[in-house]
Amino acid sequence: TDSPVSMASSTIQEPVEDVSDNPVFDIDTHGRLHVIFGGTKVVQHTSPHKSSGSIRPSDNGCLGYVLRTGFHTSQGKLLRTILYSVKRVTANNVETFAFILFLLMFAVAASAYVWVQGSADPERNRYKLFLECTLILTSVVPPELPIELSLAVNTSLIALVKLGVYCTEPFRIPFAGKVDYCCFDKTGTLTSDELLVDGIAGMDSEDSSKLMAIQECDAATQQVLASCHSLAQLEDSLVGDPLEKAVLSAIDWHLSKGDTVAARRGKKQTIRILHRFHFNSALKRMSAIVSMQVQGAMGTSHMITVKGAAEVLRPRLAKVPPHFDAVHKHFSLCGSRVLALAYKPMAELNTQQIREMKREEAESDLVFAGFLIVSCPLKPDSKAVIKAIRESSHHV
């Protein structure tokens, strides 16, 4: 197994056949799009075409190539570090050598003084004088220094174990004394994994910072929330990003097999996801090409739904609302997770047009559909931990 990944990752991987120019594979660069890790459950896949000429698995599955096993995976490297220490328990660092060099300066000065003064006496034995100067230089480093430094690290290890903290790399303990700032993420550390959808902001012209209940937002915003995601239905259970599952539950829509979403209440409306431009951490956005059909209406209409970071979607909007930056900053300072929503109405598209449409073309001249505001409640012990940190002479 490798580093844990979200179940949604099994639905957003892309085949290597789509990579242009045949670049050399780099797991750090291409890993997010073309690699799945041990323990990942493949929800949907497309087997190779008969005309592709590649090897076809007997069960009509996807062909994969094993890159890493055992101790070569991320979790395997961590396990190997725990089982087999990579370095000895010592404190031989730059500060130690600097301290010894500082003492050596005085020793050289003292040796030079002894040699000059001793050489002034012609009856003085030069050999014994040389030995005395050498003794002064060698006595700078006390024999007990390495033992004392290692003993200090061992004492720190024992103190940490008593507090329930286990250190896999003891040689890093001396470096802890140089730490000025300690940063840790908020979600899952200070806050729980539970996600609460607060509502939609930025749609009220009179009060831009007003939160609108997600059930009361307009139809276009609900359509963006219902269709722009990477969720999948597997064996009567919804798998994917917890944030996207919370949003779909909040707007009271349901996803069925075949990438079709429908409203549970009100005007019966069905949206079919035809193509996804999956989320990319570098682009900070995702989009989907969807077709909509309202019960009782003739024909279908197409649109492109987009969500992502506010600063990324801002230059892609056809018209930026005047309160865009102020609302984004306000809710970000409140500690909420803010996602910008947008859409683009399209004329009826055929399968060939959908397949050939470029991402840059699809995600341009968008219509703003509001900000999705999501919050995570604090864990029960977060306040107590922060209080303990403040009482230990640390600033938070």
Side-chain angles (χ1 to χ4, degrees), residues 243-255:
L243 171 61
E244 295 176 340
K245 289 196 287 186
V247 170
L248 196 64
S249 176
I251 61 176
D252 203 14
W253 285 54
H254 68 91
L255 175 68

Side-chain angles (χ1 to χ4, degrees), residues 349-367:
L349 302 171
N350 57 41
T351 306
Q352 186 69 18
Q353 290 174 321
I354 294 173
R355 187 183 298 112
E356 294 178 353
M357 183 175 291
K358 301 296 182 182
R359 184 166 192 160
E360 290 297 322
E361 177 188 353
E363 298 173 351
S364 60
D365 297 327
L366 302 172
V367 180

Side-chain angles (χ1 to χ4, degrees), residues 42-112:
V42 178
V43 180
Q44 295 176 344
H45 74 278
T46 303
S47 56
H49 298 289
K50 293 181 179 180
S51 58
S52 62
S54 59
I55 302 174
R56 290 179 58 84
S58 58
D59 58 353
N60 204 30
C62 283
L63 190 66
Y65 182 80
V66 178
L67 297 174
R68 294 175 176 174
T69 58
F71 283 147
H72 294 286
T73 63
S74 297
Q75 290 186 356
K77 289 178 181 176
L78 176 61
L79 188 62
R80 182 174 55 189
T81 303
I82 296 173
L83 294 177
Y84 313 106
S85 181
V86 294
K87 289 190 178 182
R88 294 179 294 109
V89 179
T90 180
N92 295 333
N93 47 36
V94 178
E95 286 79 4
T96 305
F97 290 109
F99 174 68
I100 295 174
L101 185 62
F102 178 73
L103 295 178
L104 184 63
M105 293 170 55
F106 290 95
V108 171
S111 298

Side-chain angles (χ1 to χ4, degrees), residues 221-253:
T221 303
Q222 290 201 15
Q223 290 163 2
V224 174
L225 294 172
S227 60
C228 192
H229 56 73
S230 298
L231 299 174
Q233 190 73 25
L234 175 67
E235 298 176 357
D236 299 329
S237 63
L238 199 62
V239 295
D241 186 9
L243 171 61
E244 295 176 340
K245 289 196 287 186
V247 170
L248 196 64
S249 176
I251 61 176
D252 203 14
W253 285 54

Side-chain angles (χ1 to χ4, degrees), residues 35-271:
V35 177
I36 60 174
F37 300 98
T40 304
K41 193 169 187 178
V42 178
V43 180
Q44 295 176 344
H45 74 278
T46 303
S47 56
H49 298 289
K50 293 181 179 180
S51 58
S52 62
S54 59
I55 302 174
R56 290 179 58 84
S58 58
D59 58 353
N60 204 30
C62 283
L63 190 66
Y65 182 80
V66 178
L67 297 174
R68 294 175 176 174
T69 58
F71 283 147
H72 294 286
T73 63
S74 297
Q75 290 186 356
K77 289 178 181 176
L78 176 61
L79 188 62
R80 182 174 55 189
T81 303
I82 296 173
L83 294 177
Y84 313 106
S85 181
V86 294
K87 289 190 178 182
R88 294 179 294 109
V89 179
T90 180
N92 295 333
N93 47 36
V94 178
E95 286 79 4
T96 305
F97 290 109
F99 174 68
I100 295 174
L101 185 62
F102 178 73
L103 295 178
L104 184 63
M105 293 170 55
F106 290 95
V108 171
S111 298
Y113 178 79
V114 172
W115 179 264
V116 171
Q117 293 297 324
S119 299
D121 186 2
E123 297 180 359
R124 191 81 175 263
N125 190 330
R126 295 293 189 272
Y127 178 72
K128 290 185 177 180
L129 186 61
F130 174 75
L131 290 179
E132 290 177 358
C133 293
T134 306
L135 185 61
I136 293 174
L137 291 173
T138 56
S139 62
V140 170
V141 182
E144 300 85 2
L145 183 62
I147 301 175
E148 290 174 351
L149 293 175
S150 298
L151 185 61
V153 175
N154 284 321
T155 305
S156 302
L157 280 174
I158 295 172
L160 288 173
V161 170
K162 290 181 179 178
L163 296 174
V165 179
Y166 297 91
C167 183
T168 58
E169 296 177 330
F171 66 91
R172 298 190 186 275
I173 288 181
F175 294 102
K178 300 193 296 182
V179 174
D180 294 324
Y181 297 94
C182 182
C183 303
F184 45 89
D185 64 335
K186 179 174 69 71
T187 306
T189 304
L190 291 176
T191 60
S192 63
D193 295 329
E194 180 186 1
L195 296 168
L196 301 178
V197 180
D198 295 334
I200 302 296
M203 298 300 289
D204 193 330
S205 57
E206 297 180 359
D207 185 6
S208 57
S209 61
K210 179 182 177 182
L211 265 178
M212 183 185 299
I214 200 166
Q215 295 287 354
E216 300 175 1
C217 61
D218 58 16
T221 303
Q222 290 201 15
Q223 290 163 2
V224 174
L225 294 172
S227 60
C228 192
H229 56 73
S230 298
L231 299 174
Q233 190 73 25
L234 175 67
E235 298 176 357
D236 299 329
S237 63
L238 199 62
V239 295
D241 186 9
L243 171 61
E244 295 176 340
K245 289 196 287 186
V247 170
L248 196 64
S249 176
I251 61 176
D252 203 14
W253 285 54
H254 68 91
L255 175 68
S256 58
K257 293 183 178 179
D259 284 338
T260 302
V261 287
R264 296 181 187 272
R265 300 179 183 177
K267 196 174 184 179
K268 294 296 182 182
Q269 187 176 10
T270 303
I271 299 177

Side-chain angles (χ1 to χ4, degrees), residues 76 129 240 278 389-390:
L129 186 61
H278 294 292
I389 294 175
R390 291 177 66 91

Side-chain angles (χ1 to χ4, degrees), residues 360-378:
E360 290 297 322
E361 177 188 353
E363 298 173 351
S364 60
D365 297 327
L366 302 172
V367 180
F368 181 64
F371 290 106
L372 174 65
I373 310 300
V374 182
S375 62
C376 301
L378 285 175

